[in-house]
Amino acid sequence: MLSFLLALTLTSAFGEVVNVPENNEETQKLGFEVDYQNNQFLLDGKPFRYVSGSFHYFRAPKRYWRSNLRKMRTAGLNAVSTYVEWSLHQPEENQWDWSGDADLVDFLNIAQEEDLLVLLRPGPYICAERDFGGLPYWLLTRVPDIRLRTNDQRYMRYVDIYLTELFSRIEPLLRGNGGPIIMVQVENEYGSYACDHDYLNRLRDIMHEKIGSKALLYSTDGNSDSMVRCGYTHGVYATVDFGTSTNVTKSFELMRKYEPRGPLVNSEFYPGWLTHWKERFSRVKTSAVVKTLDEMLAMGASVNMYMFYGGTNFGYTAGANGGKNVYMPQITSYDYDAPLTEAGDPTPKYFEIRNVISKYLPMPNISLPNVSAKGDYGPILLSPIVNLFEPAGRQLFATIVLEKSEPLTFEALGLSHWLVLYEADLINSTTDPSVLHATVRDRGLVYVDDYLIGSLTRTDNIYNIAIENPNARKLKLLVENQGRLNYGQGLHDFKGISEVTLNNAPIKHWKMTGYRLDDIGMIRSLPMITLESGSLRRGPVILRGTFTITGEPLDTYLNTNDWGKGVAFINGRNLGRYWPKVGPQITLYVPAPFLRTGENELVLVELEYVPNSRKMKLQPTPILDYKL
């Protein structure tokens, strides 16, 4: 006798009617696939399309993951896209980190709890405007001529180890196993880099072996024929990316050339854009965003908005763009002019996008988000504690000290970031003034006989400086790594100095002192030092100040205006680089989880200039688009 089954009818987050049987035996198989016959995706066997937004877990404190994901769901999104940053999880060859703000598994679980599916982009290269495109710096130390992003076995050995470690953790979260991950990207916009299909096929095979049919492999490339052709791999669903200034129909026609059947997909639709130091803050008009989004959704396309929430490049994680004779480091903020601000606040763009999505997908029954209150904690007086060049500074903060006849790169010194001090004796000169030349990667402060005379800079292609003292005997070059290139052909972006000459005669025999400056807690036991305000002619200085918060801490912004160049720490957390002299970013975002009720500590590592006031203030509003 046939049993009578009662079924509950639900409207899912994905816009389709789902029959949920009471008998578990009737539950259909979970999975995600392409229905080529009907030009659509199938989620658990039913027609589906996604409207997604990018949110990189590594650009926000863990405590804010859920609230940001919920705001995305409230906007009508049914999926979230995130990169996986290899360098975050394997900072050194024999070191792994999957905890705290690197807890990818927890991020994926929270996404599922917030009713969002996941588009996972594990690289191994991700670009993302991150240092070295998310690749770990130590790859450059293993073999000098290692060919990154190719089928070079010396490179693929490490890629295989990384992907094995990653997929062993996220395999239970694939859609076929009941998890949220429906798609996994193979590499990242590879057609913009090369046309090595042997490499792509190898990556495809590695990933397919690990996920089988439990998620869909896909590729993403810019909307040019050469990019899609070189990024295309048989057995990997090819998608395109483009922004508001592009003809939607023609872009999707290009995709159709390589995927004649299946759903249309824009994997990176840009509601904002990135910003470099020394340029205006980038913005994309809301009217253009909603017009193009509406056009794509009306065509039945699936869309991922890059970025929906941008966040922050905390610490030394910001990368750089450029190539031959061009170097443009990115600012610390990754606000991106996204629908959600750097602090996760909804913008008018957010609500306009939500209005468009509501025409095509059901809206969840969740309260609309508001702009959160911000802290106005006032000015903080900073006292100088130690000069990095003095014995106490070297003893406390020098990571490595080495002497060689030729200057070594940061990578050869085992230093992933931030500063290396190169010291040498100057040779006798018969020319007045003498000309010092050094190819510097990326910015070098030049000290002669312990006195700052100027700077060399890759950004402005300045590699020569005059030394006017004919009797000068000691040379110091303090070199700052401002971020490795994250896009294009220049990924072998070694940091340091080379080709150092005085009047074309090579300078030999170098002492190198590396400063990582990750942990600055030991300065609390040091007394203040005497320091004149203005340009720091005798070397970088660490300054410290305290401030008190009454009640529950709120997000706030550190105003660095009038200072020179450096990094800031609050309660030991590195907020990132500041450089108000060139802008456009003046404030650094300070999330409330970095703060505490009661006394808090602000520490600066200032390289170039201390104003007379010696103060910074914590204010409730950001300044990201300052016009110099």
Side-chain angles (χ1 to χ4, degrees):
M1 184 177 67
L2 296 176
S3 62
F4 180 72
L5 301 177
L6 296 175
L8 300 174
T9 301
L10 301 176
T11 301
S12 79
F14 315 122
E16 77 262 8
V17 175
V18 181
N19 290 320
V20 183
E22 290 185 342
N23 188 334
N24 290 335
E25 294 179 0
E26 296 293 324
T27 303
Q28 58 191 337
K29 183 179 179 181
L30 297 174
F32 189 76
E33 58 188 326
V34 178
D35 177 1
Y36 288 97
Q37 183 176 353
N38 295 299
N39 295 329
Q40 63 188 2
F41 289 123
L42 295 178
L43 176 68
D44 306 336
K46 295 187 178 297
F48 169 78
R49 65 107 161 251
Y50 63 80
V51 180
S52 170
S54 290
F55 165 22
H56 304 149
Y57 59 99
F58 43 79
R59 282 186 159 120
K62 183 176 182 177
R63 204 172 91 188
Y64 284 171
W65 290 351
R66 186 178 297 276
S67 62
N68 287 334
L69 289 168
R70 184 166 296 175
K71 291 168 191 171
M72 295 173 71
R73 180 72 192 99
T74 306
L77 306 184
N78 55 21
V80 58
S81 170
T82 188
Y83 283 122
V84 182
E85 188 172 44
W86 183 2
S87 60
L88 169 68
H89 297 295
Q90 195 181 11
E92 300 291 342
E93 182 177 356
N94 298 312
Q95 178 183 341
W96 293 94
D97 184 4
W98 301 93
S99 61
D101 290 348
D103 192 345
L104 172 63
V105 169
D106 198 32
F107 177 85
L108 299 174
N109 281 323
I110 293 172
Q112 187 170 28
E113 290 166 6
E114 294 300 324
D115 204 14
L116 292 167
L117 298 170
V118 174
L119 317 177
L120 196 70
R121 309 177 76 181
Y125 160 85
I126 63 172
C127 183
E129 285 70 64
R130 297 287 277 189
D131 180 74
F132 201 17
L135 296 171
Y137 88 97
W138 51 262
L139 287 175
L140 295 173
T141 71
R142 295 303 174 265
V143 183
D145 64 341
I146 191 170
R147 290 171 306 182
L148 304 168
R149 303 182 73 188
T150 74
N151 207 29
D152 183 342
Q153 294 307 303
R154 301 167 299 179
Y155 172 64
M156 290 304 299
R157 170 176 171 256
Y158 297 110
V159 169
D160 202 352
I161 292 170
Y162 157 63
L163 291 177
T164 297
E165 179 75 17
L166 169 65
F167 281 100
S168 70
R169 295 173 180 276
I170 60 109
E171 194 268 343
L173 295 165
L174 299 171
R175 187 61 185 177
N177 292 327
I181 302 172
I182 57 173
M183 299 176 73
V184 177
Q185 182 178 269
V186 178
E187 241 273 352
N188 185 72
E189 295 183 320
Y190 191 72
S192 303
Y193 181 75
C195 221
D196 184 349
H197 287 99
D198 288 340
Y199 168 59
L200 292 179
N201 290 340
R202 175 78 182 280
L203 276 180
R204 173 202 62 197
D205 293 346
I206 291 173
M207 292 187 182
H208 187 265
E209 178 184 350
K210 298 181 186 305
I211 72 173
S213 60
K214 296 175 181 177
L216 178 69
L217 294 179
Y218 76 109
S219 63
T220 302
D221 284 288
N223 62 332
S224 78
D225 186 82
S226 63
M227 289 179 182
V228 181
R229 173 174 51 82
C230 289
Y232 175 78
T233 310
H234 181 72
V236 176
Y237 195 73
T239 73
V240 293
D241 54 43
F242 54 88
T244 60
S245 61
T246 303
N247 184 292
V248 173
T249 300
K250 288 184 178 179
S251 294
F252 282 141
E253 285 176 354
L254 177 61
M255 178 185 162
R256 277 283 176 252
K257 183 176 179 180
Y258 295 91
E259 290 290 357
R261 305 288 300 176
L264 299 172
V265 179
N266 183 346
S267 286
E268 284 191 6
F269 171 58
Y270 307 108
W273 196 246
L274 61 99
T275 301
H276 305 98
W277 293 109
K278 293 193 171 188
E279 67 184 24
R280 293 291 304 276
F281 183 80
S282 297
R283 297 193 182 278
V284 177
K285 291 183 178 179
T286 298
S287 58
V289 173
V290 296
K291 177 179 180 294
T292 307
L293 177 63
D294 197 9
E295 183 177 356
M296 291 187 291
L297 295 183
M299 298 171 69
S302 287
V303 178
N304 175 64
M305 284 170 271
Y306 186 102
M307 301 291 297
F308 201 86
Y309 167 76
T312 309
N313 293 311
F314 294 114
Y316 310 101
T317 58
N321 285 316
K324 186 177 181 181
N325 299 324
V326 176
Y327 179 74
M328 301 178 294
Q330 279 117 20
I331 63 174
T332 297
S333 172
Y334 204 62
D335 177 272
Y336 212 84
D337 193 31
L340 292 173
T341 69
E342 185 175 12
D345 292 325
T347 64
K349 187 179 292 183
Y350 172 94
F351 294 105
E352 290 293 326
I353 287 173
R354 186 180 186 275
N355 289 340
V356 172
I357 297 173
S358 69
K359 296 166 57 177
Y360 302 94
L361 294 177
M363 291 291 106
N365 186 21
I366 309 174
S367 299
L368 294 177
N370 298 312
V371 174
S372 64
K374 302 295 187 296
D376 185 356
Y377 300 123
I380 305 166
L381 178 64
L382 290 140
S383 301
I385 300 297
V386 65
N387 184 309
L388 286 184
F389 291 174
E390 298 300 323
R394 294 177 187 249
Q395 181 179 356
L396 289 173
F397 299 105
T399 301
I400 186 170
V401 179
L402 195 64
E403 295 189 23
K404 292 284 184 179
S405 60
E406 299 290 340
L408 300 179
T409 64
F410 281 52
E411 294 74 19
L413 292 169
L415 196 70
S416 56
H417 54 258
W418 173 44
L419 300 170
V420 171
L421 176 63
Y422 295 89
E423 298 175 273
D425 293 329
L426 289 171
I427 54 181
N428 292 327
S429 174
T430 58
T431 304
D432 186 12
S434 298
V435 177
L436 175 73
H437 171 87
T439 301
V440 59
R441 297 289 184 268
D442 301 305
R443 181 176 176 83
L445 298 179
V446 183
Y447 302 83
V448 173
D449 288 344
D450 300 318
Y451 190 82
L452 179 68
I453 65 167
S455 62
L456 305 174
T457 167
R458 181 181 184 184
T459 301
D460 299 321
N461 289 305
I462 298 174
Y463 301 118
N464 296 310
I465 189 170
I467 297 178
E468 298 181 355
N469 179 4
N471 299 314
R473 289 294 175 263
K474 292 193 297 183
L475 172 67
K476 287 188 177 79
L477 289 173
L478 181 67
V479 177
E480 179 188 3
N481 170 1
Q482 292 184 281
R484 293 178 183 84
L485 294 175
N486 53 250
Y487 181 82
Q489 300 300 314
L491 285 181
H492 283 74
D493 192 15
F494 292 92
K495 300 304 183 180
I497 55 172
S498 60
E499 302 172 329
V500 187
T501 61
L502 187 66
N503 297 332
N504 297 318
I507 297 177
K508 300 288 186 179
H509 307 296
W510 292 90
K511 177 182 178 181
M512 291 154 281
T513 305
Y515 299 90
R516 283 180 57 96
L517 291 165
D518 291 322
D519 182 4
I520 42 75
M522 64 283 292
I523 70 164
R524 297 182 191 119
S525 61
L526 298 177
M528 289 189 299
I529 61 173
T530 301
L531 177 71
E532 293 184 4
S533 301
S535 296
L536 296 179
R537 297 294 183 182
R538 299 295 180 180
V541 172
I542 296 181
L543 303 99
R544 177 180 181 267
T546 60
F547 59 100
T548 300
I549 294 178
T550 302
E552 188 70 19
L554 302 172
D555 286 1
T556 185
Y557 299 91
L558 181 67
N559 190 326
T560 69
N561 195 32
D562 294 332
W563 288 74
K565 190 177 195 302
V567 296
F569 296 80
I570 280 191
N571 297 328
R573 299 294 295 265
N574 191 330
L575 303 180
R577 300 179 177 97
Y578 62 85
W579 198 5
K581 182 179 179 180
V582 303
Q585 178 176 1
I586 302 297
T587 56
L588 294 176
Y589 171 53
V590 185
F594 290 8
L595 301 169
R596 53 186 175 236
T597 302
E599 186 176 270
N600 294 258
E601 177 187 63
L602 170 64
V603 173
L604 304 183
V605 184
E606 172 59 58
L607 303 181
E608 299 186 16
Y609 186 85
V610 174
N612 289 331
S613 69
R614 297 189 186 176
K615 291 180 180 179
M616 281 190 182
K617 67 178 178 178
L618 290 166
Q619 62 185 48
T621 54
I623 304 174
L624 297 178
D625 54 358
Y626 186 73
K627 300 174 184 178
L628 297 172

